[in-house]
């Protein structure tokens, strides 16, 4: 907690209690006016807490941040700073994802990112061209439901990805493919297919 926040809180306390104490001393009702000061300070603090809760419940948007005096203002400032850091990190992550997608899309080889069970998480346009995997429609579909060649199904089921799999098309019109599956991260797989025709 910053010194400025405590000084501001002290100013708020003095703003409430000094007039109440002075009036209490002049009128001879010091206990009454002291309790009145406590009530005013308590209501002021309660109002700040209600406003703070409403702001937090509303998503704690930076442009709607309430302005306070004292310690509450320090908490609001900390939340606003966290929100700004979060937004900056989110923007960086979105830019990174955009660059990743652009890079994957530019590759001539089919690239398919999957869970360890073969559930497709993302794919590039070349995956559509070589494997008939639609990058928008086939997300969360298992790859063995789309690439139905027995050699590929056996290769995927064996989980032995040390060597690439070469698949020759059943007709001269279909490409000869070299397929490699590489485990990465936590329980993820990347499939890379190259046209060897």
């Amino acid at each position: 907690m910053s010194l400025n926040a405590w000084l501001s809180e002290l100013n708020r306390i003095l703003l409430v209690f000094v007039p109440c104490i002075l009036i209490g001393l002049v009128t001879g009702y010091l206990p009454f006016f002291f309790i009145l000061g406590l009530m005013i300070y308590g209501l002021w603090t309660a109002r700040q807490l209600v406003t703070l809760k409403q702001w937090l419940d509303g998503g704690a948007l930076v442009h709607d941040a309430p302005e306070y005096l004292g310690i509450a203002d320090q908490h609001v400032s900390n939340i606003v700073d966290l929100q700004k850091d979060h937004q900056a990190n989110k923007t960086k992550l979105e830019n990174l994802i955009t660059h990743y997608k652009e890079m994957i899309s530019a590759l001539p080889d089919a690239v398919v990112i999957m869970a360890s069970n073969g559930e497709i998480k993302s794919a590039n346009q070349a995956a559509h061209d070589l494997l008939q995997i639609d990058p928008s429609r086939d997300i969360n579909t298992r790859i063995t439901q789309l690439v139905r060649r027995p050699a590929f199904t056996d290769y995927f089921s064996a989980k032995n990805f040390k060597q690439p799999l070469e698949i020759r098309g059943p007709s001269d019109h279909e490409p000869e493919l070299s397929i490699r599956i590489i485990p990465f991260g936590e329980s993820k797989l990347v499939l890379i297919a190259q046209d060897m025709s």
Side-chain angles (χ1 to χ4, degrees), residues 120-189:
I120 297 169
K121 298 303 175 189
S122 68
N124 65 355
Q125 183 59 39
H128 181 269
D129 300 339
L130 294 176
L131 302 170
Q132 287 71 53
I133 294 172
D134 188 310
S136 56
R137 182 195 64 218
D138 295 329
I139 300 302
N140 297 326
T141 304
R142 291 195 182 203
I143 191 140
T144 50
Q145 294 175 320
L146 301 171
V147 182
R148 295 179 176 261
R149 297 182 189 177
F152 177 77
T153 304
D154 293 343
Y155 177 69
F156 189 81
S157 298
K159 302 291 184 195
N160 183 3
F161 305 131
K162 291 180 182 176
Q163 298 296 323
L165 170 69
E166 293 190 6
I167 299 177
R168 192 175 295 275
S171 69
D172 293 338
H173 301 293
E174 292 191 45
E176 180 182 339
L177 299 177
S178 175
I179 296 176
R180 181 165 202 111
I181 295 179
I182 304 163
F184 77 100
E186 291 184 18
S187 303
K188 288 190 176 56
L189 302 170

Side-chain angles (χ1 to χ4, degrees), residues 67-87:
E67 291 185 19
Y68 294 123
L69 293 173
I71 297 169
D73 188 57
Q74 181 70 42
H75 292 304
V76 171
S77 295
N78 289 342
I79 292 169
V80 167
D81 289 344
L82 286 172
Q83 290 279 46
K84 287 178 180 176
D85 289 345
H86 172 72
Q87 187 59 44

Side-chain angles (χ1 to χ4, degrees), residues 47 49-60:
R47 177 68 185 130
L49 291 174
V50 167
T51 308
L52 181 61
K53 184 177 183 329
Q54 289 171 343
W55 178 62
L56 291 172
D57 289 345

Side-chain angles (χ1 to χ4, degrees), residues 105-116:
S105 295
L107 292 174
D109 300 333
V111 177
V112 182
I113 308 296
M114 305 174 288
S116 59

Side-chain angles (χ1 to χ4, degrees), residues 90-108:
K90 183 179 174 186
T91 302
K92 286 179 188 175
L93 184 58
E94 286 171 352
N95 290 338
L96 187 64
I97 290 170
T98 300
H99 291 312
Y100 159 78
K101 287 181 177 178
E102 288 171 354
M103 181 185 72
I104 295 297
S105 295
L107 292 174

